[in-house]
Each structure stands twice: as structure tokens, then as C-alpha cells.
Amino acid sequence: MTAPPPPLGLLAELTHRCPLRCPYCSNPVELSRASAELDAATWGRVFREAAALGVLQLHLSGGEPAARRDLPEIVAHAASAGLYSNLITSGVTLDAERLRALAAAGLDHVQLSVQDAEAGSADRIGGLRGGHARKLDFARAVEAAGLPLTLNAVVHRQNLDRLGGLIDLALELGAGRLEVAHVQYYGWALRNRDALLPSRAQLDAATRTVTEARERLRGRLVIDYVVPDYHAKRPKACMGGWGRSFIAVSPAGRALPCHAAESLPGFDFPDVREHSLAWIWTESEAFQRFRGTGWMPEPCRGCEHKERDWGGCRCQAFALTGDTAATDPACAHSPHHHLLDLAVQDAAVAGVEFTYREMGAATAG
């Protein structure tokens, strides 16, 4: 196998601690404790190795990265390594003073998550009373600090009808980019699929809303749109393909081809404290296992789209079939495609209650 091109982005998951309890949380079911988190100096070494490997963009995420008291030091390490840093945050624990400290340390960009355009619904989904108001205050602080802002709206059955309001909110807050990301159903979100999966009518209406807004707001707001797989006939190239353009590092130092890959069995994901990022990217078995097309089963192996979708999502394939190497059920040619149709039918008659994400336990809401 030829050497892979360098990764474009590094996702640094600084912590799994988070004040929100989102029912679609993308972090692993088993969370890392604070005592297991990499220290700032180790993150600094990882950032330098990432820059040497060819990484251009660094995404500081979690959990909630602001739970780290040493976040300004971590940001400073990123700036020193020459990486463009993007802070992915809920915004509910950051104030103007801490944001100014991050900007002074070299932070380049802020990506703020929102749960809805309407405060009551947003607070219910995030599981934090008053959280939406704190987010709005933080967004205004971002503007005052002169930092560019992206709004990240995770959409699903319980907020999708207010997508127009989310677009208006992005404009109101001065965001240059809005990411409309449908929930992806693995990990914790799979537990809440019946309460979150939108109908086809909702999805079609949302797509029309995005299409119209992109045209109307051209030059004012960039809208990224990540659709769900459960109404699809073809899978997405998850993370640009396994081990092709993206590398993630967990709070405890595990290097991953995608942020959800720790849910997959049978892997020994390498530790950045034991191996260099360059070795992990080019040599480790975990990154090579599903890289390229040689691993693919039929019908993927003979498919004309195999170097476009790269086999789809391994986490979704495992979640639905129990086989990490199975054809992604999002593909109409998958023998398991009917499982998506059954899930859509079940969600159509399900209730709206979901199970909140907790650090130590689950609660119904």
C-alpha cells in the first residue's frame, strides 16, 4: 500500500467532561475520567508532531474543552506549533474574560453548538436550564473579541421544524458559517434514535430550506449541510474515508481514525504517549485496517463509487450489523439496508422522550 497523504485536520478531544447532557452525544459510551487526560505539555508535543506531519487545522473539542483550566496553555501550544486552532464549545462555561485570554494565547476561531432556536426547547434538549441564554451571551463575546464564529446546529426530529429560526439566529449572532448537522446514529445517539430520527417529510423540507437559504444568503453566510443516512441510498465518505484525511486523539491519548471509533471492538488504538503521530498515521494497523479499498467486501469491492464513499461509516455498520467490515447499511445494495427502513417506521410511532447523557448515569427526559 502506498503511503497515505498527510491528514488535513486533527481533532484534539481534551476532555469528556461536559455541563450538557445531550441525548445525541457523540462521545463514547465509556467516558475517560479527568485523571486520565493528557496534560498540556503532552498536547503541545502532539501539536508539534501534527504540524510536522502536515496537519493544517486543529479542532479543540471534548466534551467541553473549557472544563480544562489549562486551556489557554493548550491554545498557546497550538499557536506555537503554527496550527490554525478552532475551539468547539457549548459556550455555557466561558465568559468574556476567559475568551479574551484564549484570544491572547492565539485562538483563531470559535465553533459554538446550539440545540435549537427556541430557548425552552434548546434547554430541554441540552439538559441545562438557562443554557441557551448563556450561549447567546458567549456568542456576543466572540464578536466583541474579534474572533470568527461558526454556529453548529445538530438537528433532528425535535428541532428540525425550526431550522429557519436557526439560520436567522446564525445571522443575528454574526456567524460567518452555519453547520447544519443531522444526528448520526451510533453510540449514545443510537439509544435515542426513536425520539430523534426525523421523518422523510421533515428531511425534504429541511433540504429545501437549506437550498433556498444558501442562494438567498450567498456572500453573507456559508451553510454546511450534513444529512442523515437513514433516508439515503448511498453512504457518505465518513470523515473523508478511514485514515485518509483526519486523525483524532481522545482525552486519554488514544489516536483514532474517527472520533467515534473507540466504540469498535477488536482494535488496539495506539497511544500518543507511546508512539509518534507520524508512525500512527503511516504504520499502525488500526489506521490501515479500513484505509483504501482492499478490505472491502462485495458489493463494495466491485462498486464504481468505492473511491468516493470509501465504504461509508464503520461505526454505523457495526452498530447496525455487528460487523465492522460490513457494507454500510446506508447503501441500497447492502443486504442490511432494510434495517434503516425499519428504524424509520419505528420512529414514526415512537414518543418524544429521550435518555439524557450523564457522566455517570442516564436519566429520562
Side-chain angles (χ1 to χ4, degrees), residues 129-147:
R129 183 177 299 177
H132 187 70
R134 295 187 207 176
K135 289 172 181 286
L136 300 187
D137 288 342
F138 174 71
R140 297 180 183 107
V142 172
E143 183 177 28
L147 289 169

mmCIF file of all heavy atoms in Angstrom, residues 129-147:
data_model
loop_
_atom_site.group_PDB
_atom_site.id
_atom_site.type_symbol
_atom_site.label_atom_id
_atom_site.label_comp_id
_atom_site.label_asym_id
_atom_site.label_seq_id
_atom_site.Cartn_x
_atom_site.Cartn_y
_atom_site.Cartn_z
ATOM 1 N N ARG A 129 -30.838 24.130 32.280
ATOM 2 C CA ARG A 129 -31.711 25.302 32.367
ATOM 3 C C ARG A 129 -30.886 26.585 32.233
ATOM 4 O O ARG A 129 -29.862 26.757 32.900
ATOM 5 C CB ARG A 129 -32.459 25.306 33.691
ATOM 6 C CG ARG A 129 -33.452 26.452 33.847
ATOM 7 C CD ARG A 129 -34.207 26.340 35.155
ATOM 8 N NE ARG A 129 -34.977 25.096 35.222
ATOM 9 C CZ ARG A 129 -35.678 24.720 36.294
ATOM 10 N NH1 ARG A 129 -35.676 25.479 37.383
ATOM 11 N NH2 ARG A 129 -36.345 23.586 36.278
ATOM 12 N N GLY A 130 -31.327 27.474 31.361
ATOM 13 C CA GLY A 130 -30.626 28.730 31.142
ATOM 14 C C GLY A 130 -29.435 28.604 30.213
ATOM 15 O O GLY A 130 -28.741 29.597 29.953
ATOM 16 N N GLY A 131 -29.198 27.413 29.671
ATOM 17 C CA GLY A 131 -28.033 27.209 28.817
ATOM 18 C C GLY A 131 -28.080 28.023 27.537
ATOM 19 O O GLY A 131 -27.061 28.560 27.097
ATOM 20 N N HIS A 132 -29.265 28.135 26.933
ATOM 21 C CA HIS A 132 -29.370 28.855 25.666
ATOM 22 C C HIS A 132 -29.020 30.326 25.841
ATOM 23 O O HIS A 132 -28.309 30.906 25.005
ATOM 24 C CB HIS A 132 -30.791 28.708 25.116
ATOM 25 C CG HIS A 132 -30.967 29.275 23.741
ATOM 26 N ND1 HIS A 132 -30.415 28.705 22.625
ATOM 27 C CD2 HIS A 132 -31.645 30.386 23.307
ATOM 28 C CE1 HIS A 132 -30.742 29.410 21.555
ATOM 29 N NE2 HIS A 132 -31.482 30.431 21.937
ATOM 30 N N ALA A 133 -29.487 30.937 26.926
ATOM 31 C CA ALA A 133 -29.176 32.348 27.163
ATOM 32 C C ALA A 133 -27.672 32.549 27.347
ATOM 33 O O ALA A 133 -27.097 33.540 26.859
ATOM 34 C CB ALA A 133 -29.926 32.843 28.400
ATOM 35 N N ARG A 134 -27.021 31.605 28.019
ATOM 36 C CA ARG A 134 -25.568 31.708 28.202
ATOM 37 C C ARG A 134 -24.858 31.621 26.846
ATOM 38 O O ARG A 134 -23.856 32.318 26.603
ATOM 39 C CB ARG A 134 -25.061 30.591 29.111
ATOM 40 C CG ARG A 134 -25.574 30.642 30.532
ATOM 41 C CD ARG A 134 -24.873 29.587 31.370
ATOM 42 N NE ARG A 134 -25.679 29.141 32.495
ATOM 43 C CZ ARG A 134 -25.335 28.186 33.333
ATOM 44 N NH1 ARG A 134 -24.175 27.553 33.144
ATOM 45 N NH2 ARG A 134 -26.123 27.814 34.322
ATOM 46 N N LYS A 135 -25.354 30.771 25.969
ATOM 47 C CA LYS A 135 -24.763 30.631 24.645
ATOM 48 C C LYS A 135 -24.849 31.946 23.867
ATOM 49 O O LYS A 135 -23.892 32.342 23.189
ATOM 50 C CB LYS A 135 -25.459 29.515 23.868
ATOM 51 C CG LYS A 135 -25.163 28.112 24.377
ATOM 52 C CD LYS A 135 -26.051 27.094 23.672
ATOM 53 C CE LYS A 135 -25.804 25.690 24.182
ATOM 54 N NZ LYS A 135 -24.521 25.139 23.685
ATOM 55 N N LEU A 136 -25.997 32.603 23.938
ATOM 56 C CA LEU A 136 -26.154 33.867 23.226
ATOM 57 C C LEU A 136 -25.197 34.921 23.771
ATOM 58 O O LEU A 136 -24.592 35.682 23.007
ATOM 59 C CB LEU A 136 -27.597 34.346 23.335
ATOM 60 C CG LEU A 136 -28.679 33.422 22.766
ATOM 61 C CD1 LEU A 136 -30.031 34.121 22.791
ATOM 62 C CD2 LEU A 136 -28.338 32.949 21.368
ATOM 63 N N ASP A 137 -25.046 34.975 25.096
ATOM 64 C CA ASP A 137 -24.102 35.917 25.691
ATOM 65 C C ASP A 137 -22.682 35.617 25.220
ATOM 66 O O ASP A 137 -21.902 36.543 24.915
ATOM 67 C CB ASP A 137 -24.167 35.838 27.220
ATOM 68 C CG ASP A 137 -25.441 36.441 27.787
ATOM 69 O OD1 ASP A 137 -26.106 37.219 27.071
ATOM 70 O OD2 ASP A 137 -25.772 36.124 28.948
ATOM 71 N N PHE A 138 -22.339 34.332 25.164
ATOM 72 C CA PHE A 138 -20.994 33.956 24.740
ATOM 73 C C PHE A 138 -20.765 34.325 23.281
ATOM 74 O O PHE A 138 -19.693 34.815 22.912
ATOM 75 C CB PHE A 138 -20.779 32.458 24.946
ATOM 76 C CG PHE A 138 -19.463 31.967 24.403
ATOM 77 C CD1 PHE A 138 -18.274 32.303 25.033
ATOM 78 C CD2 PHE A 138 -19.415 31.193 23.260
ATOM 79 C CE1 PHE A 138 -17.052 31.870 24.531
ATOM 80 C CE2 PHE A 138 -18.205 30.750 22.750
ATOM 81 C CZ PHE A 138 -17.025 31.092 23.387
ATOM 82 N N ALA A 139 -21.760 34.102 22.423
ATOM 83 C CA ALA A 139 -21.618 34.445 21.007
ATOM 84 C C ALA A 139 -21.338 35.927 20.835
ATOM 85 O O ALA A 139 -20.526 36.333 19.980
ATOM 86 C CB ALA A 139 -22.874 34.036 20.243
ATOM 87 N N ARG A 140 -21.986 36.751 21.630
ATOM 88 C CA ARG A 140 -21.745 38.194 21.548
ATOM 89 C C ARG A 140 -20.330 38.537 22.027
ATOM 90 O O ARG A 140 -19.691 39.468 21.515
ATOM 91 C CB ARG A 140 -22.804 38.935 22.350
ATOM 92 C CG ARG A 140 -24.220 38.732 21.786
ATOM 93 C CD ARG A 140 -25.287 39.455 22.571
ATOM 94 N NE ARG A 140 -26.613 39.159 22.030
ATOM 95 C CZ ARG A 140 -27.521 38.378 22.623
ATOM 96 N NH1 ARG A 140 -27.240 37.847 23.823
ATOM 97 N NH2 ARG A 140 -28.691 38.151 22.068
ATOM 98 N N ALA A 141 -19.837 37.768 23.005
ATOM 99 C CA ALA A 141 -18.464 37.978 23.469
ATOM 100 C C ALA A 141 -17.458 37.597 22.385
ATOM 101 O O ALA A 141 -16.406 38.232 22.249
ATOM 102 C CB ALA A 141 -18.208 37.167 24.737
ATOM 103 N N VAL A 142 -17.775 36.572 21.607
ATOM 104 C CA VAL A 142 -16.916 36.173 20.491
ATOM 105 C C VAL A 142 -16.806 37.312 19.482
ATOM 106 O O VAL A 142 -15.720 37.653 19.004
ATOM 107 C CB VAL A 142 -17.448 34.897 19.812
ATOM 108 C CG1 VAL A 142 -16.668 34.588 18.538
ATOM 109 C CG2 VAL A 142 -17.380 33.713 20.768
ATOM 110 N N GLU A 143 -17.953 37.912 19.166
ATOM 111 C CA GLU A 143 -17.953 39.031 18.224
ATOM 112 C C GLU A 143 -17.140 40.194 18.778
ATOM 113 O O GLU A 143 -16.350 40.824 18.062
ATOM 114 C CB GLU A 143 -19.386 39.465 17.934
ATOM 115 C CG GLU A 143 -19.485 40.573 16.899
ATOM 116 C CD GLU A 143 -20.923 40.935 16.578
ATOM 117 O OE1 GLU A 143 -21.799 40.753 17.453
ATOM 118 O OE2 GLU A 143 -21.174 41.407 15.457
ATOM 119 N N ALA A 144 -17.318 40.478 20.089
ATOM 120 C CA ALA A 144 -16.585 41.588 20.704
ATOM 121 C C ALA A 144 -15.083 41.333 20.712
ATOM 122 O O ALA A 144 -14.286 42.277 20.635
ATOM 123 C CB ALA A 144 -17.091 41.807 22.129
ATOM 124 N N ALA A 145 -14.692 40.057 20.802
ATOM 125 C CA ALA A 145 -13.269 39.714 20.813
ATOM 126 C C ALA A 145 -12.662 39.718 19.420
ATOM 127 O O ALA A 145 -11.439 39.551 19.278
ATOM 128 C CB ALA A 145 -13.072 38.350 21.462
ATOM 129 N N GLY A 146 -13.493 39.890 18.393
ATOM 130 C CA GLY A 146 -12.998 39.929 17.025
ATOM 131 C C GLY A 146 -12.649 38.581 16.446
ATOM 132 O O GLY A 146 -11.898 38.504 15.457
ATOM 133 N N LEU A 147 -13.192 37.508 17.023
ATOM 134 C CA LEU A 147 -12.919 36.163 16.532
ATOM 135 C C LEU A 147 -14.026 35.712 15.578
ATOM 136 O O LEU A 147 -15.206 35.998 15.818
ATOM 137 C CB LEU A 147 -12.830 35.164 17.691
ATOM 138 C CG LEU A 147 -11.602 35.283 18.592
ATOM 139 C CD1 LEU A 147 -11.778 34.430 19.841
ATOM 140 C CD2 LEU A 147 -10.345 34.872 17.838
#
